[in-house]
Amino acid sequence: MTAKNYPDNITALYARLSQEDALDGESNSIANQRKILLKYATDNHFPNPTFFIDDGVSGVTFDRPGWNEMIGLSEAGKVKTVIVKDMSRMGRDYLKVGYYTESFFAERDIRYIAINDGVDSDKGENDFTPFRNLFNDFYARDTSKKIRAVMRSKGNAGEHLCTNPPYGYRKDPADKKKWIVDEEAAEVVKRIFDLCIAGKGPMQIAKMLTADKVLTVKAHYAKQNGRTMPDNPYRWSVESIRGILERPEYTGCTVNFKTYSKSHKLKKRLQNAPENQRIFLNTQPAIIEEQVFERVQELRANKRRPAKQAER
């Protein structure tokens, strides 16, 4: 929906819930937030109450669909008031929350209300607001540390850290922590490695699989789970082929801590140095022999190496 389809003088009722917040119980649920926000808006006669929801999104990031839509409408002059259940629903980044409450909303004459914290910009500054924002930031940082500690413990114990197994494997129904071979996908993985050994590059392999109408990774999962098939179920990308050729897990091992982030506030993942990674052998059945995998890495490394210029 575009800005012109919205009425003027919107009362934006913003609700957010992350996976970590969900652990706090029903009080922070989206349903409960909606109930509180609508009752407050109705009781106080705020016009055009409109919900903007982000369910399952961390408060550390401000790149959220519901939030972005509300901010876009605010920039278009459509929003008059923003109401949240409490300051933490807006976000858990001290600096960014401060920017929106003290600069962005103020510059646009947008009233900001946090019901449970007793914050209302029309009633003047609340001396405790900066401390609440800082506490919410600390909460996010502490939660991130706890999650990282759990993940590090699991990773050092050899457990798989990725949510879903790579293409070619599936979770063992008898033990979700283990991977078993997905025979249909595994045959495609073997074919990709065989074609690479035969001298075919990722682009050539992608074209061959597409021509032979082999279901892509996304289409394979859609078929397995009874979901809607993608528009181009047979169009393999070069990136997919490269990703498969570079995964050592196909030799039966688990590689943990491949990437890391510099801060809990940054989404970007950086490649971890080999010495900081942990490799555990024989954690699942191998699809590709180790010698074949190593040979493929050698072939691809040689193809990536720039040709030497002829001497003059």
Side-chain angles (χ1 to χ4, degrees), residues 60-63 90 93-101 265:
V60 172
T61 177
F62 275 74
D63 184 12
M90 180 177 174
D93 184 316
Y94 172 71
L95 295 177
K96 288 187 178 180
V97 170
Y99 161 71
Y100 282 108
T101 56
K265 296 182 180 181

Side-chain angles (χ1 to χ4, degrees), residues 297-311:
Q297 306 317 302
E298 291 174 6
L299 289 171
R300 298 198 65 238
N302 289 333
K303 285 189 176 183
R304 286 195 295 264
R305 191 173 298 149
K308 294 182 179 179
Q309 293 184 349
E311 295 183 4

Side-chain angles (χ1 to χ4, degrees), residues 169 193 197 245 247-255 279-282 284-298:
Y169 291 103
F193 274 85
I197 290 287
L245 291 172
R247 296 210 66 156
E249 288 88 346
Y250 290 126
T251 65
C253 69
T254 293
V255 183
I279 300 176
F280 300 86
L281 303 178
N282 304 317
Q284 67 270 348
I287 294 174
I288 302 298
E289 292 182 4
E290 189 171 348
Q291 298 90 329
V292 173
F293 181 82
E294 294 299 333
R295 179 56 181 157
V296 164
Q297 306 317 302
E298 291 174 6

